[in-house]
Amino acid sequence: VWTGRGSELYDFALQHALAAQHWPDFAGGYYIFPYPPFFALLLAPLAALPPLLAKALASGVLLAACLGALLLARRSSAFVRQHFLFCLFYLLTFAPLQIAIVGVQNTALSLLCLALVFKARDAGRPLLMGLAAALLLYKPQFGVLIVCFLLGRGRRDELLGWGLGALLLYLLGILVLGPAWPLPWFQAATHFGDLNFTSNGHHMISLAGLLYWGGEVVLGSGARALPWAYLLSAGLLLLGVGYVRRDERRWVLVPVLVLLLSPQTLFYDVAIAVFFLLQDLRPGHPRDFLLLAAIWLYGILALMLRELVPFPLFSLLLLAILGWHVQSLRARASRSGRAWVAE
């Protein structure tokens, strides 16, 4: 894109050749770029820098995104507000997020986008909330799911903001690949998705990743289980949208549901669920700090075992956090009911 060859963006052979030229230590391996062209356009200036400097700058941006997400959460979360430095240290030392930042994976960007969505929601700014949700389209397996929850809310200004944001991103993509860019991008993303499960199936922590593992064990082929995994995820997404829309407090479940029901969620994205768990904790409660200690240690243990154990270990953590949120919501509803009866 930086050299004016945007039409070749999804030429995987060219991507391979460029990786071999700039990162010879990969020894023939390379990272495929399957993201939409507007994201490539925004990243293009990094190509003007030496590879190591570009990587260091990108890691610095990810660190800033993590800090920015915490600053956004500071006002709405009593736990983050009272334990801000602890939360920052905790996140930056949480093993999956460390891997993401050092390896220049985009978890922190997704974190920042979701934090902005929640900040705008809490501040009563629906247009901004929609725009923030549209930013997640840089990672469509997350961005498409969160707009489903916006549709479930059915609020015009939020959907208007999302539509304006999506239109702007589409127009940026035209600068790279022309007005029909969604077609070559979708073909590339589909091809990449198949390859990604082949090489990273045991790192996928979504429902699709769990069923892929189950297919490997039971059927001898994880790929045979994927169509059923996608169908089940779509059904659960519809149920999740209906469940969340009935109570505004249930919006805390949205980030975890997006991670769980996405077609592809890699292990380091579990840090997003941990971030929103931090926001929902109670300041000064020893049990909550014990919970965080257990999660932190599990992150290290699961990371050490991820290449030895074919099971997606971080999916258990994701499910545990979802269960914690559901139980917390039930406890709050019970307390509210008792308070109403007392009055």
Side-chain angles (χ1 to χ4, degrees):
V1 174
W2 184 251
T3 58
R5 300 168 67 184
S7 60
E8 301 173 82
L9 178 61
Y10 299 119
D11 183 338
F12 291 157
L14 177 60
Q15 290 186 22
H16 194 178
L18 290 173
Q21 175 185 347
H22 295 290
W23 298 98
D25 292 344
F26 273 18
Y30 74 109
Y31 289 125
I32 293 176
F33 185 88
Y35 294 94
F38 59 79
F39 193 45
L41 183 66
L42 297 175
L43 294 176
L46 291 173
L49 303 174
L52 288 177
L53 179 57
K55 182 179 180 181
L57 179 59
S59 291
V61 170
L62 294 174
L63 281 170
C66 188
L67 175 61
L70 270 177
L71 289 172
L72 287 172
R74 193 171 188 172
R75 179 169 295 182
S76 58
S77 167
F79 187 89
V80 174
R81 184 166 58 252
Q82 294 188 31
H83 306 290
F84 182 82
L85 292 179
F86 166 79
C87 291
L88 180 61
F89 177 80
Y90 184 89
L91 285 175
L92 295 182
T93 58
F94 182 56
L97 188 58
Q98 271 194 342
I99 293 291
I101 292 174
V102 174
V104 197
Q105 302 300 325
N106 50 43
T107 298
L109 290 182
S110 302
L111 191 61
L112 179 61
C113 292
L114 283 166
L116 186 56
V117 169
F118 274 71
K119 175 66 175 178
R121 167 184 164 271
D122 293 340
R125 301 181 65 181
L127 195 66
L128 179 59
M129 182 179 176
L131 284 169
L135 293 178
L136 267 176
L137 288 172
Y138 91 90
K139 194 164 187 169
Q141 66 264 41
F142 292 172
V144 171
L145 266 63
I146 198 167
V147 75
C148 292
F149 288 97
L150 290 184
L151 287 169
R153 288 164 67 85
R155 301 184 182 182
R156 184 182 60 184
D157 287 347
E158 292 173 3
L159 295 173
L160 175 61
W162 184 89
L164 291 173
L167 176 61
L168 176 60
L169 296 177
Y170 170 74
L171 294 175
L172 289 175
I174 290 177
L175 299 177
V176 180
L177 276 177
W181 68 258
L183 296 178
W185 164 76
F186 185 76
Q187 292 174 348
T190 302
H191 178 60
F192 168 75
D194 296 337
L195 294 175
N196 206 18
F197 263 106
T198 300
S199 58
N200 288 314
H202 61 298
H203 294 156
M204 298 289 182
I205 63 171
S206 60
L207 180 61
L210 279 170
L211 292 183
Y212 184 89
W213 170 82
E216 290 281 340
V217 173
V218 178
L219 305 175
S221 170
R224 291 172 60 186
L226 281 179
W228 298 104
Y230 296 148
L231 184 62
L232 179 59
S233 296
L236 290 175
L237 175 63
L238 291 176
L239 291 175
V241 168
Y243 179 76
V244 168
R245 70 176 295 181
R246 290 196 293 268
D247 189 335
E248 186 71 18
R249 292 172 297 184
R250 294 176 182 172
W251 248 82
V252 71
L253 300 175
V254 169
V256 185
L257 290 174
V258 167
L259 296 175
L260 184 63
L261 301 177
S262 165
Q264 296 190 8
T265 303
L266 283 161
F267 73 93
Y268 33 74
D269 287 327
V270 76
I272 296 172
V274 172
F275 171 82
F276 283 97
L277 175 66
L278 280 170
Q279 292 190 59
D280 212 33
L281 295 178
R282 301 159 298 176
H285 281 68
R287 287 186 180 180
D288 288 350
F289 282 98
L290 288 175
L291 172 65
L292 290 176
I295 290 173
W296 191 87
L297 290 172
Y298 185 87
I300 294 176
L301 180 62
L303 191 64
M304 293 171 60
L305 296 176
R306 68 189 176 101
E307 297 296 346
L308 302 175
V309 179
F311 182 79
L313 293 169
F314 282 102
S315 61
L316 297 179
L317 178 55
L318 185 61
L319 289 170
I321 292 174
L322 176 61
W324 187 92
H325 280 304
V326 171
Q327 181 58 34
S328 178
L329 286 169
R330 287 177 177 173
R332 291 174 185 175
S334 177
R335 289 195 298 268
S336 298
R338 288 197 299 268
W340 182 81
V341 170
E343 290 177 2

